[in-house]
Amino acid sequence: MSTILQAHNVEKYYGNKNNLTKALNGISFNVDSGEYVGVMGASGSGKTTLLNCVSTIDTVTSGKILIGGVDITAMGEKALSKFRRESLGFIFQDFNLLDTLTAFENIALALTIMKTPPQKILSAVNEVANVLEITDVLSKYPYQMSGGQRQRVASARAIVTNPSLILADEPTGALDSKSARLLLESFQRLIAERKATILMVTHDAFSASYCTRIMFIRDGRLFHQLVRGRDTRKQFFDKIMEVVSLLGGDGSDVA
Amino acid sequence: MTSLNIAVQNVKKSFKDYTIYFLTLTFGVCIFYIFNSIESQQAVMDLTSRQSMALSTLSQMLGIVSIFISCILAFLIIYANGFLIKRRKKEFGVYMTLGMRKGRISRILMYETVLVGILSLIMGLMLGVFLSQGMAMVTAKLINADIKSFSFVFSAQAAKNAVIYFGLTFILVLIFNIITIRRQRLIDLIYADRKNERFKAPHLKLSIVVFLIALALILLAYFIVTHSGVFPTGPVLSAAVCMGVAGTFLFFFSLSGFFLKLLQQNKNVYLSKLNMFVLRQINSKINTTYISIGFVCLMLFVAICTLSSGIGLAEAIKNEMISNAPYSATFSMYAVRDINEEAGGASGNAGGAAQAVSGEAAPSYYQGLNIVNALASNGVDLTDFSDEYLEVRYYDAGTRFRFNTGDIPFDLNTQYVKLSDYNKLREMQALPPIELAADEFTVNCRMGNEWPEHTLEYITENPTLSLNGILLRSNVSMFASIPLITSENWDFAATIVVNDALLDGVPVSKDVLNLNYTLDNDTYNSMCESALKEFDFSAFLPNFNDIKFTGNMETRFDIIGRSNEATTMIAYLAVYLGMIFLIASATVLAITQLSETSDNVRRYGLLRKLGVDDKMINSALFSQILIYFGAPLALALVHSFVGIIVAGNIVGVVGDMSILGSSLFTAGVLALIYGGYFLSTYWGSKNILYKEYMNQQG
């Protein structure tokens, strides 16, 4: 398996000399093609900063991030835009669909901004819609869909361009448990059927239990890693919960 | 920090938000001042009493129009202010959460309003004072007055009026703001930016139907106004206007939906870059914006029509008036009967289909009169000021041309002149003489646009007439329509030209003296006026009990002067109104767009996250705003085209209207003001998007 994402000693500082916040403090890791990696950590641990840096929305202070062998920290604004639309797919907590566009158009938008030939767009959109089971809502507007449907449309938008890496920021955060399960299962299908690679930030152990590997972050460093291996999801979930409590996640920071 | 400090900070900070507000105020004050300072501009001009009276009338009219204009500007300022308040609700929410009382917020807002108001008032007045210096030159040139010596003119009256009118408007704005703040609840203010207009799915099929109805209404309105005769009147015109207005609103209601549906069929266009996003952007707001866009279109229509046809009309009137003044002066005698009944009206000769009928000849009041001799016997020598003059007698043999075109037969009053007189008149206009055989007649008719044609047709179809028992043939090739006197009004008749001998013994019905000055200047004009105007002819006329004689003198000098004044008046009114309407429409559009941009921040921000580069985003924003500015302008231009054709028909009665020059002027003004607003809206929106995106990035 080839390595999709390599992070070398990435640092991200905020503030000035006197009052420095080290959001990322020399973090290094690799993500291989076809992996479903979860990033967990408490609020303020740096997981969102990490995602922003990897997604090129934010810049790093030092260190290198290579995606598909390309160093994104050395790119200019224009190249970054191009890289973002061609090599990355985004799934946000609040879906971030354009309310004025239908589901079909929202998905197609990811292709039109890449100047994909129009005749290819129709088949590409239908193909991902099939995988994500949203064919029947394609002509609807976001406000006419359920939260789960919206997030699957957003996922379809992220995957339709065949990006090297899909970045998901708390994708189940705004969903009820049933929709969340449906979404997470469709992520697994995306990996199986379309050879997608997903990096997902979450603080929810249940969502994380669908991943193949979990990276735990604390104070801007890689604190621990869990690989699912041959574990059942239940076993993996229990392991995650142990680390979460050790890490001092949500509500367990009492001691 | 005092409230004043906060206010100053706020104005500095949100200067870009204030741009459109500031621009509108400044332009408004500037134009207001310029047109109200015309009275004072007289100071630098050398004016005759008539010119200064004309300028006073003009400035009075502009003063009355200014009241109407200041109402429009007041509405605009309040509208623009409303946009600013809406944009800043969140900020006020933060003040209130921090414990600031509503009273204090109102005070901050008051200071801000006053600050921006005073700034723009000063800017506008300065610009106005500066530009009005040039305006004085233009005015002087238009009314043919000389500039005495250049001196700087400041009109205290105009400045005072501007301060009063705009001061009142600011007070209205203040009251409006205080009420707005007082009625706000904190929760609404804090969540103001999340309360987006709820998006509703458009009914695209409905759009197509509505669009077709709109087009049908507009085309029908066009058809009615262009096909209902010269003066569309009363109910017909109202119906057409209603249809046009309704059609315009429906057009904008359905336009975006129609195009969306149309372009969706063409995948190559629709699925290319951000095209569908831009179309959806426009379509998403059309439910709320079509009314303001419709108004903008109608205002633009009014602006374009007044600017282009107003100036065109003025030019047409001027040319027509001057073309009616072929001689330096014309002195004529009129006999007016006390019972106001001129001889020779419609004689009820039934059955007389198009042919010369014989009416009652006018009594010959002038038979014994000879103006030149009368003057000479009292020591007036015409050659003192005139090198060319001719006393022309008109003869009435009772000949009438009867037209059966309308419902009621119409008899055109016709008088005769001698061929020798006619040729001399032509010579005075540097025209070649005509020749007529002994038994021929021809006609000179100058009366509006249509009558010469009708008359020519008439003498072609009725080639003979009888004069004193002699049958005359018409010579159609010699027909002409030159002016025979200098007069502001048309020579309301057809004049038959025959060989001199034929008029022996025919009663004289009119006596006219045409003169050309030795030199066409003011000195000779005054000499001529003093010689003729006060001359008492009653001693030289036969005595009639019921008849009064009136001498009437018209000079080319007067006519040119009056035409210049009329032109100036119409042109100034047109430009004043046109400019204000233009600014009003551009402001409304700019504000609609800017207030939408705040809502669009999220959408454009998302596009950026998806990897759309700045170039594509800017071009999408540009197209969006271009469509918003372009669509109403395009329809307004088409409306205006039809409107100007109709106006041209109406004006055609007065004279030929050439609108090329004024169209170019209008295009220039449009490009400057409308284009200026368009660009500042684009830059403003781009700035808001960029700033908000940066804010979100932390």
Side-chain angles (χ1 to χ4, degrees), chain A residues 84-85 96 99 105 112 141, chain B residues 270 273 280 606 608 611:
Chain A
R84 216 179 290 159
R85 62 176 180 259
N96 267 344
D99 53 349
E105 289 166 348
T112 64
Y141 292 90
Chain B
Y270 194 64
K273 298 194 199 170
R280 288 291 192 181
L606 175 64
R608 251 199 194 94

Side-chain angles (χ1 to χ4, degrees), chain A residues 57-58 77-78 80-82 84-85 90 92 96-102 104-106 108-109 112-116 118-119 121-122 141 143-144 157, chain B residues 197-202 204 264 267-274 276-277 280-281 284 602-603 606-616 693 697:
Chain A
I57 289 173
D58 208 348
E77 182 65 37
K78 219 178 153 188
L80 278 179
S81 291
K82 185 168 157 34
R84 216 179 290 159
R85 62 176 180 259
F90 294 96
F92 308 93
N96 267 344
L97 293 175
L98 287 163
D99 53 349
T100 51
L101 268 57
T102 61
F104 174 86
E105 289 166 348
N106 263 296
L109 186 71
T112 64
I113 60 175
M114 285 171 65
K115 298 169 190 163
T116 309
Q119 53 274 22
I121 291 179
L122 207 65
Y141 292 90
Y143 81 95
Q144 295 167 321
R157 180 181 64 191
Chain B
E197 189 181 332
R198 189 167 159 83
F199 173 76
K200 277 207 205 95
L204 294 186
Q264 276 178 349
K267 298 284 178 217
N268 280 331
V269 177
Y270 194 64
L271 294 178
S272 165
K273 298 194 199 170
L274 291 176
M276 68 181 173
F277 173 77
R280 288 291 192 181
Q281 267 307 85
S284 70
R602 203 179 54 80
R603 294 183 192 142
L606 175 64
L607 289 183
R608 251 199 194 94
K609 277 189 198 160
L610 291 179
V612 182
D613 55 35
D614 283 351
K615 212 174 124 198
M616 219 188 262
Y693 181 70
Q697 294 300 295

Side-chain angles (χ1 to χ4, degrees), chain B residues 511-522:
Chain B
D511 196 354
V512 166
L513 175 64
N514 287 321
L515 307 109
N516 274 345
Y517 301 148
T518 317
L519 281 173
D520 221 356
N521 67 24
D522 204 18

Side-chain angles (χ1 to χ4, degrees), chain A residues 209 211 214 227-228 232-240:
Chain A
S209 67
C211 295
I214 309 288
V227 179
R228 181 165 162 189
T232 62
R233 224 184 66 228
K234 179 76 181 76
Q235 289 168 327
F236 193 44
F237 177 76
D238 291 338
K239 283 186 185 169
I240 295 169

Side-chain angles (χ1 to χ4, degrees), chain B residues 201-336:
Chain B
H203 299 287
L204 294 186
K205 281 188 186 129
L206 180 74
S207 292
I208 293 175
V209 176
V210 174
F211 187 75
L212 294 177
I213 293 175
L215 276 190
L217 278 174
I218 292 173
L219 290 177
L220 193 59
Y222 286 172
F223 183 81
I224 292 174
V225 294
T226 48
H227 284 81
S228 59
V230 179
F231 288 97
T233 44
V236 180
L237 185 65
S238 329
V241 169
C242 286
M243 271 188 252
V245 170
T248 302
F249 283 109
L250 291 179
F251 180 82
F252 289 113
F253 175 76
S254 58
L255 181 68
S256 71
F258 177 78
F259 269 99
L260 198 59
K261 194 76 192 165
L262 200 71
L263 286 177
Q264 276 178 349
Q265 310 304 316
N266 183 348
K267 298 284 178 217
N268 280 331
V269 177
Y270 194 64
L271 294 178
S272 165
K273 298 194 199 170
L274 291 176
N275 285 357
M276 68 181 173
F277 173 77
V278 171
L279 281 168
R280 288 291 192 181
Q281 267 307 85
I282 289 163
N283 194 240
S284 70
K285 286 285 180 150
I286 210 70
N287 283 333
T288 45
T289 51
Y290 79 97
I291 292 188
S292 53
I293 292 184
F295 271 118
V296 165
C297 175
L298 295 175
M299 284 198 286
L300 277 174
F301 166 61
V302 173
I304 295 170
C305 279
T306 36
L307 280 176
S308 56
S309 55
I311 298 169
L313 177 71
E315 282 293 311
I317 290 174
K318 184 173 171 173
N319 290 338
E320 181 67 23
M321 282 170 91
I322 292 175
S323 76
N324 280 334
Y327 310 115
S328 301
T330 292
F331 181 85
S332 51
M333 287 297 261
Y334 286 107
V336 183

Side-chain angles (χ1 to χ4, degrees), chain A residues 2-19:
Chain A
S2 62
T3 306
I4 288 288
L5 169 66
Q6 290 172 277
H8 289 300
N9 202 21
V10 174
E11 292 183 321
K12 176 71 189 178
Y13 299 163
Y14 291 113
N16 54 30
K17 268 181 198 163
N18 304 324
N19 181 17

Side-chain angles (χ1 to χ4, degrees), chain B residues 20 43 89 102 107 224 232 561 568 571 667:
Chain B
I20 294 289
K89 276 188 177 166
K102 280 183 178 177
R107 203 153 64 234
I224 292 174
T568 311

